[in-house]
Amino acid sequence: MSSPVDDRSARHSVLATARRTAALLNVLADDGAGPFDVADVLRAHGERDPLDLTATDLPELRTAAGLLRAVFTADDADGAAAVLNRLLRDHTGPLRLTSHGGDSPWHPHLDSDDDAPWAEWLLASSCMALAVLVWDRQRPPGRACASPSCGNVFISPGSGPERRYCSRRCATRERVAAHRRRGAVPRP
């Protein structure tokens, strides 16, 4: 049975998966975030209810997010590829296709099962998407925000100069702070 082509397939694209990864890493970096916050991010990126996330899932999800963050802090494509190769070797299974019993378009998975634990799913789906972006772009798939007060990660645009900040807000805040530092005259 083939599923109709609609916007459901967009949530399984490489770029959509990579953006979901960045959003999950950012929410999981907040120690105050709970299962509802993580579920909200998943829903915002096309996952459907019921999402059976509980507080007991969070420690392993945070560990997975910490491992994936190293991809975003790599200096270059070689560094990002080295991190991804280690994660793929240590935390994923063989490539398989799934349609989740016909509920979605066919798409690849590297986790052990459609009902794999959340942390395993996060690592596997993220590694696959980030690896494809390194392959396609020949540079790290994203960065950590250069603002010392931020720490969020983001997916880099496909072309053009690399971004340093996760948002215009962070870029403006840092630009204003640098301007103020340059304009400050030391007092005798």
Side-chain angles (χ1 to χ4, degrees):
M1 172 179 176
S2 65
S3 52
V5 176
D6 60 23
D7 65 348
R8 292 183 307 162
S9 62
R11 73 183 172 106
H12 295 290
S13 76
V14 170
L15 194 53
T17 301
R19 287 181 177 142
R20 182 193 65 212
T21 296
L24 285 168
L25 268 57
N26 293 336
V27 74
L28 289 164
D30 177 0
D31 290 334
F36 295 111
D37 302 303
V38 176
D40 284 346
V41 170
L42 289 168
R43 282 186 205 97
H45 288 271
E47 295 298 323
R48 294 182 294 210
D49 285 315
L51 297 173
D52 60 347
L53 275 164
T54 67
T56 59
D57 294 313
L58 293 181
E60 287 183 353
L61 279 167
R62 284 194 169 97
T63 298
L67 294 170
L68 288 162
R69 189 169 281 276
V71 177
F72 290 85
T73 59
D75 291 332
D76 53 25
D78 291 347
V83 171
L84 284 164
N85 281 336
R86 181 178 42 79
L87 293 174
L88 286 163
R89 181 187 66 237
D90 295 346
H91 299 283
T92 65
L95 182 65
R96 64 187 179 82
L97 290 170
T98 184
S99 69
H100 300 282
D103 288 339
S104 71
W106 286 99
H107 60 280
H109 268 238
L110 289 172
D111 52 6
S112 60
D113 186 81
D114 284 355
D115 294 322
W118 283 106
E120 180 184 337
W121 167 83
L122 174 60
L123 271 168
S125 64
S126 299
C127 283
M128 184 172 0
L130 298 175
V132 170
L133 289 179
V134 170
W135 169 24
D136 186 50
R137 299 174 177 180
Q138 297 297 303
R139 64 183 189 190
R143 292 284 180 205
C145 185
S147 174
S149 63
C150 180
N152 279 343
V153 297
F154 60 91
I155 299 300
S156 298
S159 61
E162 285 197 60
R163 283 178 31 200
R164 295 185 55 223
Y165 301 100
C166 67
S167 66
R168 289 183 186 161
R169 182 178 181 168
C170 280
T172 299
R173 183 177 56 243
E174 292 304 314
R175 199 170 34 252
V176 168
H179 175 74
R180 289 180 178 155
R181 282 191 303 272
R182 283 190 304 271
V185 178
R187 294 186 177 173

